[in-house]
Amino acid sequence: PDAVLVSAREKLNLEELKDRVYETVCKDVIEAIVTVPFSRMDVADYLHTHCEIMKKNYTANEGVFWVRITAQVQAQLKRKGIALKKL
C-alpha cells in the first residue's frame, strides 16, 4: 500500500516518490528554536552535527538557532539541560 510506481525512463511519479521518501525519513522531525548560552557552545556544536540549522543569530550572551530536529536529538538536548521552543 505504500508503494509508489515510478518510471525513471518516462520520468513518471518521481516527485511523488521524493515526497514519500521525505515524509518517511522526516516523520518525527519538528521545527524549533533552541537558545544556547555561550557557556554551552558544546551544544551549538552538537546542533550543527545532528540537525538542520535553518537560521542562527547571536546576542551578547547566547546563540539562537532555528532548527529542524528529530525526537532523538530533542531527548539528547533535554538530557543536556537545554530547552527548545517548538515552532
Side-chain angles (χ1 to χ4, degrees), residues 11-49:
K11 297 183 177 159
L12 296 175
N13 293 332
L14 297 179
E15 285 301 316
E16 183 179 348
L17 177 62
K18 287 182 202 176
D19 292 343
R20 187 72 61 87
V21 168
Y22 181 81
E23 289 169 6
T24 301
V25 171
C26 298
K27 66 182 175 191
D28 69 339
V29 173
I30 65 160
E31 292 185 357
I33 298 174
V34 181
T35 303
V36 181
F38 281 152
S39 63
R40 294 298 313 273
M41 282 294 107
D42 60 303
V43 174
D45 183 53
Y46 182 82
L47 291 174
H48 279 90
T49 305

Side-chain angles (χ1 to χ4, degrees), residues 59-73:
T59 67
N61 301 316
E62 61 195 13
V64 181
F65 301 87
W66 286 258
V67 297
R68 287 192 180 106
I69 190 168
T70 64
Q72 182 180 12
V73 174

Side-chain angles (χ1 to χ4, degrees), residues 2-6 11 30 32 34 43 70 77-80 83:
D2 293 331
V4 177
L5 299 176
V6 299
K11 297 183 177 159
I30 65 160
V34 181
V43 174
T70 64
L77 289 177
K78 186 175 181 179
R79 284 191 288 280
K80 292 177 179 284

